[in-house]
Amino acid sequence: MKYSLFALSLLACCAAVSHAADLGNVAFIGDSITHGVQNGSYRFDFWKILADNGTDHRFVGVNSGNYNFSGSLTYKGQTFNNVHSAGSSWRTYQTSGDYMNNGHKNGMGPNTLPAGGYINNWLGISDSRTYDKVPGGTLSQGQYLNGSGAVTNYTGKTMTGNDTPDTFFIMLGTNDMYSDGLLKNGYETTFNSLKNIVEAGRQANPNANFVILSMPSIASKAGTETGNVVTPEYNSYVQSRLGELQDASGNSNVSYADINKGITTSTGYLHTGMCLADKVHPNEQGNLIIAGNLAKAMGLTQRTAGLERKEAGQLASQVNLTTKTPVITTTKPDGSISLAVFTANNPAAYSVSASGTGLVFAKANAAAASSISSMWQAGTQFTVSLSLKMAAKGDLNNYFTVWLGNGVANDGFLKVYEDRIEWGYTGSTVLYVADMTTDFSNLTISYLDGSSGAAAGYYVWLGDQLIGEAKTTGGVSGKTNRLLLGAFTSGQACYGEMAFVSFDTLHAYAPIPEPATAVLGLAGCFVFCLRRRRVV
């Protein structure tokens, strides 16, 4: 999609949406992916979205912290309230309090779910623990046998009274399917447990909203079936039965969020650049994308990194791409207009598009790199926006370069491939996984000096979704004042069309919400503003 002025017209209403949307008390229910392994989890990145947009919220839960992580979780002078109801190896049936009579452990002991409790305990619906199969026999329903042999009730942390959740985010199923081997035979069992969790939340707060997050893809092979084939099938199964999770009056207070977009390959596996070495748990980059997907599914506007939003067509410098030596029209601080041109590098390897308003890059030979470049006088902050579509060559080495710097920090280096976006020239990291050949994608790269409250570094947006945060060196040496678009080296394959370029050498901006997101934002505002809050 190319840049549209319709997005600009929706800026004001979308900003209002973010502030008007009220999530109230927020409960995250899940397993180790929600808990967070070796990082702050996607919850931390989602919280930063709420903080950027002033969305009212308060996190509640029976657990806290992350696994094997003790780093700082602060943003713009605020400290993350790291509470949740998630933990390592938690199953859907355990969390719901369902007993598995087919040999699978219920796992409700002190070393699994908090103090042996489950959703009804956490929400104050019952203080009786679920019954469990234990060595020496099975206890009756509502009782629990602890290590000393005594029958006890739940006395752990709860989400009751002023902590009763208004919004539930539920991500469960990975351990059910892959650790317990339920897979296709366990779809209905797992869904029914999911349904019980929703019903418990509704009993605690009849006006609560529920967001079911898709079961995350994994990159490893696990369970009795090889590969990751079960993940998309189970997610489709849940979506097909989502209507069964609505309340008795048919209120649509249950929605579904696909969090796998941008982190999985075309074959459905979690991209290894998005996860830890175990190929199951998302890394920091994977969590960033998951959080953005969740916000998009809810109709919330995306991250701003503390910056003012601005339409690409309103940036100070606009580039005319009707010739192979594009002309830059720049508005100076004094209001006058100046003209400059890009340097054409190997212009024989690219041409003006059929529409006459873009450039088509097609490497003619390996003797010289095909690109356009400009040496600019950038300030301590700057913004570059462009619209790009890669050619479908089936070439894994085909990529488009955005090389840029402000002369202060190490240069940034973005690579757009046919199937992904990466940051860095050498030792690059994957930012997003997608087919970049089907339509034009809008990209914004801003350099922040830290004055907005967000960490200094390069920030990258795909559309309005932040996909790169506080990136540092791009893997190229030096601190140049440079903008180069196209091929970086003579041997680089570079096939694709650039349809729009603009920039501002003095200011960092975040992109405004794209039209589809803006419309979702209005819908999200309608749902959350009309939903009555709990009565305590």
Side-chain angles (χ1 to χ4, degrees):
M1 181 186 300
K2 297 183 181 181
Y3 286 103
S4 169
L5 292 179
F6 175 63
L8 181 61
S9 68
L10 289 172
L11 173 59
C13 67
C14 287
V17 165
S18 293
H19 288 273
D22 175 12
L23 302 185
N25 288 340
V26 177
F28 287 89
I29 312 292
D31 50 37
S32 57
I33 295 174
T34 298
H35 187 202
V37 177
Q38 298 180 26
N39 52 57
S41 82
Y42 69 87
R43 295 178 294 104
F44 177 49
D45 289 288
F46 184 71
W47 169 73
K48 286 188 280 188
I49 294 175
L50 303 182
D52 270 352
N53 294 290
T55 305
D56 182 46
H57 70 282
R58 177 172 172 264
F59 291 169
V60 296
V62 298
N63 204 356
S64 62
N66 310 104
Y67 177 74
N68 197 21
F69 177 77
S70 58
S72 174
L73 296 178
T74 59
Y75 178 63
K76 291 166 56 176
Q78 304 176 58
T79 300
F80 177 46
N81 182 22
N82 195 3
V83 295
H84 51 85
S85 296
S88 176
S89 301
W90 291 10
R91 275 77 164 163
T92 313
Y93 59 82
Q94 293 173 341
T95 305
S96 69
D98 296 329
Y99 177 69
M100 296 296 294
N101 58 11
N102 59 355
H104 296 293
K105 66 180 181 178
N106 197 20
M108 304 303 291
N111 295 323
T112 53
L113 303 189
Y118 67 112
I119 189 69
N120 284 357
N121 297 154
W122 305 339
L123 296 175
I125 297 171
S126 171
D127 62 358
S128 297
R129 306 187 195 195
T130 187
Y131 63 99
D132 194 7
K133 180 177 288 186
V134 297
T138 301
L139 297 178
S140 61
Q141 188 171 2
Q143 295 179 325
Y144 175 82
L145 183 64
N146 67 15
S148 63
V151 175
T152 62
N153 289 329
Y154 180 77
T155 58
K157 293 181 179 180
T158 62
M159 297 179 286
T160 57
N162 290 330
D163 290 339
T164 301
D166 299 301
T167 305
F168 289 83
F169 294 109
I170 306 171
M171 180 196 284
L172 285 164
T174 298
N175 290 306
D176 303 59
M177 298 295 164
Y178 292 105
S179 297
D180 288 346
L182 296 181
L183 299 171
K184 296 179 181 179
N185 295 326
Y187 286 5
E188 183 172 3
T189 298
T190 303
F191 178 80
N192 287 337
S193 296
L194 181 65
K195 186 175 182 179
N196 289 340
I197 295 172
V198 171
E199 290 176 348
R202 187 172 288 129
Q203 184 175 345
N205 179 6
N207 300 309
N209 292 285
F210 302 86
V211 182
I212 310 301
L213 282 66
S214 60
M215 187 171 76
S217 169
I218 62 174
S220 63
K221 294 182 178 181
T224 58
E225 295 181 27
T226 59
N228 197 42
V229 65
V230 70
T231 299
E233 289 188 359
Y234 173 73
N235 288 334
S236 295
Y237 179 85
V238 171
Q239 287 181 276
S240 71
R241 298 186 61 179
L242 201 65
E244 299 176 38
L245 300 180
Q246 308 302 340
D247 64 20
S249 61
N251 289 329
S252 299
N253 62 342
V254 181
S255 58
Y256 183 85
D258 180 7
I259 55 84
N260 283 309
K261 185 177 181 180
I263 63 175
T264 61
T265 66
S266 59
T267 56
Y269 287 88
L270 179 63
H271 193 285
T272 54
M274 296 290 180
C275 58
L276 302 177
D278 61 16
K279 298 184 178 181
V280 174
H281 298 96
N283 57 19
E284 290 184 351
Q285 183 61 33
N287 285 323
L288 177 68
I289 304 304
I290 290 173
N293 289 339
L294 176 56
K296 184 173 292 186
M298 294 182 65
L300 296 174
T301 48
Q302 298 280 336
R303 290 280 304 280
T304 65
L307 302 175
E308 176 188 349
R309 298 183 189 274
K310 181 160 284 194
E311 159 77 20
Q314 302 301 313
L315 296 183
S317 299
Q318 302 292 314
V319 182
N320 184 336
L321 298 178
T322 60
T323 66
K324 291 202 291 184
T325 53
V327 177
I328 307 169
T329 302
T330 303
T331 302
K332 293 182 178 181
D334 62 5
S336 62
I337 301 297
S338 65
L339 297 178
V341 295
F342 274 93
T343 298
N345 306 308
N346 190 21
Y350 61 89
S351 60
V352 176
S353 65
S355 65
T357 59
L359 296 181
V360 178
F361 289 82
K363 186 188 69 171
N365 55 64
S370 58
S371 62
I372 59 173
S373 62
S374 175
M375 299 299 290
W376 61 10
Q377 293 300 312
T380 57
Q381 299 196 129
F382 61 86
T383 305
V384 174
S385 293
L386 67 152
S387 185
L388 177 68
K389 180 173 72 171
M390 298 300 294
K393 296 289 185 178
D395 185 351
L396 297 180
N397 296 314
N398 176 31
Y399 69 89
F400 186 94
T401 298
V402 182
W403 178 24
L404 66 177
N406 63 353
V408 176
N410 287 324
D411 292 358
F413 201 94
L414 189 75
K415 295 191 290 188
V416 181
Y417 288 85
E418 293 181 29
D419 63 346
R420 66 195 185 279
I421 301 173
E422 294 187 359
W423 178 263
Y425 179 60
T426 58
S428 57
T429 58
V430 177
L431 299 184
Y432 199 85
V433 182
D435 185 350
M436 304 299 295
T437 68
T438 57
D439 199 358
F440 283 91
S441 296
N442 301 330
L443 289 162
T444 302
I445 307 101
S446 294
Y447 182 81
L448 280 64
D449 61 9
S451 60
S452 68
Y458 292 92
Y459 287 70
V460 183
W461 285 267
L462 176 62
D464 61 348
Q465 183 173 354
L466 186 70
I467 64 171
E469 179 178 15
K471 309 306 291 186
T472 54
T473 176
V476 289
S477 61
K479 298 178 180 179
T480 60
N481 284 310
R482 174 185 294 275
L483 173 61
L484 181 144
L485 304 167
F488 179 62
T489 64
S490 59
Q492 176 185 336
C494 183
Y495 298 90
E497 181 177 350
M498 182 173 60
F500 186 93
V501 180
S502 64
F503 57 89
D504 190 309
T505 62
L506 300 177
H507 306 94
Y509 295 106
I512 69 171
E514 293 196 322
T517 302
V519 173
L520 280 174
L522 294 175
C525 177
F526 180 79
V527 170
F528 284 103
C529 288
L530 293 189
R531 173 65 55 180
R532 291 182 296 113
R533 300 264 65 89
R534 67 192 183 284
V535 177
V536 180

